[in-house]
Amino acid sequence: MIANLQKPNLPNVNVPEKIIICLDVCYDDPSSLFRLGDGTTYTSINMLKRVLDFFIHSKNAINKRTEFALVVLKDTVPYFVQNFTNNLKDILSAIDYVNAEESKSESFDFQKLFEILKQEVEIPDYKQSDCIIPPPYVVRMIVLFARSNCIPVISQEDPYFNFLKKQLYFYIDILLAHEEDCALYKCAEVYDSLQDLDNGYSYVFEVSKNATKIHDCIAKLLAHPLQRPLQKNTDYTFSSKP
């Protein structure tokens, strides 16, 4: 409890979420695969689709009013593919429809993504005088980035990004699925750049081609932003009282 006093005074309520899934469809090495315990293999895009299927069904089971939107991150440009919906068939069909593409660019400018958010997303206002009153919903963007040689460009001077960082009912979470041999790639640089999206309340995970770990990470993102602690204070161990 004391460790979480750094969090702002927000209502600890499971209000509906509007979740923007930013799915990176690009890959570095087409032969690089995730492998399950039974030997089944998945490409990066198919593994991301698999964990998103789990995530979406789980969030829907927790709160039927959860809505999902889909933005696809192609080589240099993001595309707004699916508007907010709580119809699982619509969002899962949109995800299933996207195809993998080879990564050719050395950088990806997130300013174009911020422009989409500005046009498509409305964030509830936070009023200090009404801080105990739950908002109608919160907005969360989950970035699933799959490239290890393409550096995200996140300008701290971007006016709309600076606006987003100040919104207490807007959250950005990050899951980086990178190549295993980071000596041959820019995994660390990509990870460091993605952390520029964090305003202090993000959950940030990185995983190589480890099927178990990527499922663990997506499960940790099920927690509601208004009800979870800061990531540095999380404890996923089970303990029993003596």
Side-chain angles (χ1 to χ4, degrees):
M1 180 172 162
I2 294 175
N4 288 320
L5 289 179
Q6 299 175 54
K7 292 186 67 177
N9 185 22
L10 300 176
N12 186 18
V13 180
N14 182 18
V15 299
E17 284 188 78
K18 289 181 179 286
I19 299 176
I20 308 147
I21 298 168
C22 297
L23 177 59
D24 185 11
V25 300
C26 292
Y27 60 83
D28 296 297
D29 180 359
S31 65
S32 181
L33 303 171
F34 285 85
R35 187 179 302 275
L36 299 184
D38 63 2
T40 307
T41 57
Y42 289 83
T43 61
S44 289
I45 186 65
N46 286 335
M47 179 54 74
L48 290 176
K49 289 180 179 182
R50 175 187 170 96
V51 298
L52 282 173
D53 183 271
F54 162 78
F55 177 83
I56 290 168
H57 276 102
S58 299
K59 288 298 294 184
N60 178 260
I62 295 169
N63 190 330
K64 301 292 184 185
R65 294 188 294 167
T66 304
E67 296 185 2
F68 304 92
L70 177 64
V71 175
V72 170
L73 307 183
K74 290 184 175 272
D75 192 37
T76 60
V77 181
Y79 291 91
F80 191 71
V81 175
Q82 171 66 54
N83 208 339
F84 288 108
T85 179
N86 61 359
N87 185 313
L88 298 194
K89 182 178 178 181
D90 288 347
I91 185 63
L92 291 173
S93 294
I95 292 171
D96 187 56
Y97 183 76
V98 302
N99 296 313
E101 298 182 3
E102 183 180 1
S103 177
K104 298 179 180 179
S105 299
E106 295 182 355
S107 63
F108 184 91
D109 192 346
F110 269 70
Q111 183 178 17
K112 300 170 184 176
L113 178 58
F114 301 145
E115 291 172 359
I116 290 177
L117 298 181
K118 186 175 183 179
Q119 296 172 5
E120 304 292 343
V121 179
E122 184 175 351
I123 303 168
D125 290 329
Y126 171 81
K127 297 179 180 178
Q128 182 67 41
S129 58
D130 297 332
C131 64
I132 62 172
I133 301 175
Y137 59 87
V138 295
V139 180
R140 178 158 54 127
M141 181 172 74
I142 301 179
V143 178
L144 298 101
F145 203 75
R147 284 173 260 188
S148 301
N149 264 343
C150 179
I151 307 299
V153 177
I154 301 158
S155 173
Q156 300 300 312
E157 306 301 321
D158 184 281
Y160 192 67
F161 179 47
N162 281 310
F163 166 80
L164 290 175
K165 288 191 293 184
K166 298 175 183 176
Q167 302 309 300
L168 295 182
Y169 294 135
F170 179 81
Y171 299 83
I172 301 177
D173 291 339
I174 302 155
L175 174 55
L176 168 63
H178 58 75
E179 297 294 337
E180 287 186 299
D181 192 350
C182 288
L184 299 177
Y185 294 92
K186 302 175 182 176
C187 306
E189 293 93 328
V190 173
Y191 181 70
D192 290 344
S193 294
L194 284 172
Q195 291 194 84
D196 287 340
L197 291 170
D198 182 9
N199 70 345
Y201 308 114
S202 299
Y203 273 31
V204 184
F205 298 103
E206 58 86 20
V207 58
S208 60
K209 304 299 180 179
N210 186 312
T212 299
K213 188 175 179 182
I214 197 171
H215 282 84
D216 287 346
C217 291
I218 204 71
K220 292 171 182 177
L221 291 177
L222 289 172
H224 194 287
L226 291 181
Q227 297 181 312
R228 68 190 188 185
L230 299 177
Q231 185 176 16
K232 66 181 180 179
N233 299 328
T234 55
D235 183 358
Y236 298 105
T237 60
F238 290 94
S239 60
S240 57
K241 295 182 178 180

